[in-house]
Amino acid sequence: LCLREINLSLSLVIWLMALNASYPRVVDRGNGAEGDLPMRVLLIEDEPTTAKAIEMMLTTEGFNVYQTDLGEEGLDLGKLYDYDIILLDLEMPGMHGLDALPLLRHIAPDARIIIFSAHCALGGEWTDHILALGADDVVAKPAHGGFDTPFMTRFLARLKNSGAGRG
């Protein structure tokens, strides 16, 4: 199978799962206290090295991470589960993150949506525009080699503080 066929097959499986009533959405995720379910994170990031680094860091810290490299699949996954946090890149093949953002906000109104992109370093009007579209926060993705321990520590603390939800 080619990659395109695998992606189409995965989208079909996700769509079928969403239709099946035996896959209920989890509504109450708790507040991270002992006994509560771990925070669920949807990571929508197309750069494989970045996605793997973030996924490994979050999984090690006890988060449940669901990752895709396409905005369209992110929307499908957003319909399957309730997420505490959605990390969304902007520049991706297919659907751009700015197009996915308002749709994700509609699908997951209680999730904290954090834009994780190099474009966030532009600041000012760009950040204001992203927040106006429904993002809760923006984080500038570091340049290659910038995923050092201090960055990852700050990033992880920011995510843990974000996990309380919007409501």
Side-chain angles (χ1 to χ4, degrees), residues 83-167:
Y83 294 92
D84 299 294
I85 299 169
I86 298 174
L87 291 172
L88 176 62
D89 187 17
L90 293 180
E91 293 290 331
M92 297 179 290
M95 179 179 281
H96 192 277
L98 289 180
D99 296 324
L101 175 57
L103 298 171
L104 285 167
R105 174 52 61 219
H106 177 74
I107 291 168
D110 295 327
R112 300 276 300 170
I113 299 178
I114 300 172
I115 301 298
F116 185 63
S117 175
H119 290 291
C120 295
L122 299 174
E125 290 180 27
W126 186 251
T127 298
D128 291 342
H129 179 64
I130 291 169
L131 295 174
L133 287 174
D136 294 293
D137 199 359
V138 295
V139 175
K141 187 187 302 181
H144 290 288
F147 285 89
D148 56 9
T149 301
F151 171 81
M152 294 299 245
T153 301
R154 287 189 312 273
F155 183 65
L156 185 59
R158 201 165 180 173
L159 289 183
K160 287 181 177 180
N161 290 333
S162 292
R166 293 174 58 92

Side-chain angles (χ1 to χ4, degrees), residues 19-73:
L19 291 177
N20 188 339
S22 67
Y23 291 92
R25 291 173 58 94
V26 176
V27 176
D28 183 12
R29 300 289 306 148
N31 63 2
E34 189 172 333
D36 284 337
L37 296 171
M39 282 198 280
R40 185 177 282 151
V41 176
L42 174 57
L43 173 61
I44 307 171
E45 166 65 58
D46 67 312
E47 207 291 305
T49 304
T50 300
K52 193 63 175 171
I54 298 294
E55 183 178 5
M56 286 176 53
M57 175 192 65
L58 295 179
T59 301
T60 300
E61 292 293 323
F63 290 82
N64 284 337
V65 181
Y66 299 78
Q67 193 271 327
T68 182
D69 60 351
L70 297 172
E72 295 89 348
E73 285 182 4

